Amino acid sequence: GQQVMQIPQYQHVQEGEDFTTYCNSSTTLSNIQWYKQRPGGHPVFLIQLVKSGEVKKQKRLTFQFGEAKKNSSLHITATQTTDVGTYFCAGKTGGSYIPTFGRGTSLIVHP
Amino acid sequence: NAGVTQTPKFQVLKTGQSMTLQCAQDMNHEYMSWYRQDPGMGLRLIHYSVGAGITDQGEVPNGYNVSRSTTEDFPLRLLSAAPSQTSVYFCASSFSREGNTEAFFGQGTRLTVV
């Protein structure tokens, strides 16, 4: 079945440093979504990417979808303590109803 | 608009007991799904539904049953609880159409089986 690998599992950064998490799929995706889960909370949708090579920005967050539509990344510039949480990617193929989630990357920001 | 509502928020069960986790959404979403979240394992799909009367298994369905008699409700039943089912359970819903199909998650149910 479809697999979505996400690395790293954990990332410790000092406040102000940049952060990147990577997502790779074993199959070509029709779209990829990113979610953020704060400690003790539930996943919250951040963004969806659909087009090959697409890049979208939300303030300090930059999301990319690979040319082959099999990988994606989330980059946070100048992390803040409010960025703490687990970031999940979720990839959907054309034939699936429900996206497959990666295992997530937990971001820990040290003040 | 309440979104996705899960009850209860916390539950402790004894091994062998059965229970139902409730999930309701008021957004008229066609798709609903149940996930369990364990440390380091991400969100694993248990069961999902693409509409009333239609359900299918996800990655980890053993020990769980679901039904979808209405668009709004998608309960998850634990038939005979085991310690391995200690986890945080999330229900989610989304539209089925192409375009933005973001999933809306409930607040979660923290289940402990002793």
Side-chain angles (χ1 to χ4, degrees):
Chain A
Q2 179 193 2
Q3 290 189 335
V4 175
M5 309 299 292
Q6 193 174 351
I7 57 169
Q9 186 174 357
Y10 299 96
Q11 184 78 58
H12 290 255
V13 299
Q14 290 294 129
E15 190 173 15
E17 292 181 337
D18 291 357
F19 159 79
T20 305
T21 174
Y22 300 91
C23 191
N24 289 288
S25 170
S26 57
T27 56
T28 303
L29 301 170
S30 58
N31 67 55
I32 193 156
Q33 298 174 342
W34 286 90
Y35 293 80
K36 178 183 179 180
Q37 182 179 24
R38 296 182 186 276
H42 60 281
V44 175
F45 176 82
L46 293 175
I47 208 161
Q48 176 173 289
L49 305 173
V50 177
K51 298 176 182 177
S52 169
E54 190 170 14
V55 178
K56 287 188 176 181
K57 294 190 176 184
Q58 290 180 348
K59 298 183 180 178
R60 294 177 295 104
L61 278 61
T62 301
F63 304 85
Q64 292 189 331
F65 200 9
E67 293 290 340
K69 300 182 74 172
K70 295 179 75 172
N71 58 76
S72 182
S73 65
L74 158 59
H75 179 82
I76 302 178
T77 303
T79 55
Q80 300 174 358
T81 54
T82 54
D83 295 324
V84 164
T86 301
Y87 293 84
F88 292 97
C89 62
K92 185 177 177 301
T93 64
S96 63
Y97 295 107
I98 305 290
T100 298
F101 279 79
R103 292 194 174 186
T105 296
S106 293
L107 173 62
I108 301 99
V109 180
H110 299 278
Chain B
N1 249 358
V4 179
T5 303
Q6 287 184 238
T7 56
K9 287 187 170 51
F10 301 93
Q11 183 71 50
V12 178
L13 287 180
K14 293 183 178 179
T15 297
Q17 285 185 318
S18 63
M19 79 159 294
T20 299
L21 279 62
Q22 301 292 343
C23 176
Q25 53 94 7
D26 61 0
M27 297 172 282
N28 202 31
H29 286 167
E30 296 93 341
Y31 291 177
M32 296 187 74
S33 49
W34 276 101
Y35 298 87
R36 60 176 290 171
Q37 184 173 34
D38 303 293
M41 299 298 291
L43 294 161
R44 292 187 291 172
L45 183 65
I46 304 172
H47 285 285
Y48 67 95
S49 168
V50 299
I54 307 170
T55 63
D56 204 349
Q57 297 180 350
E59 180 186 354
V60 288
N62 293 341
Y64 307 94
N65 270 359
V66 292
S67 60
R68 182 109 178 261
S69 55
T70 67
T71 299
E72 294 78 20
D73 300 299
F74 191 43
L76 178 71
R77 281 182 287 278
L78 279 70
L79 309 173
S80 177
S84 61
Q85 293 178 305
T86 293
S87 188
V88 180
Y89 292 84
F90 288 102
C91 176
S93 72
S94 64
F95 281 118
S96 65
R97 58 177 174 265
E98 288 302 313
N100 197 342
T101 57
E102 67 174 283
F104 293 80
F105 283 81
Q107 300 289 322
T109 297
R110 295 182 178 274
L111 175 68
T112 303
V113 183
V114 298

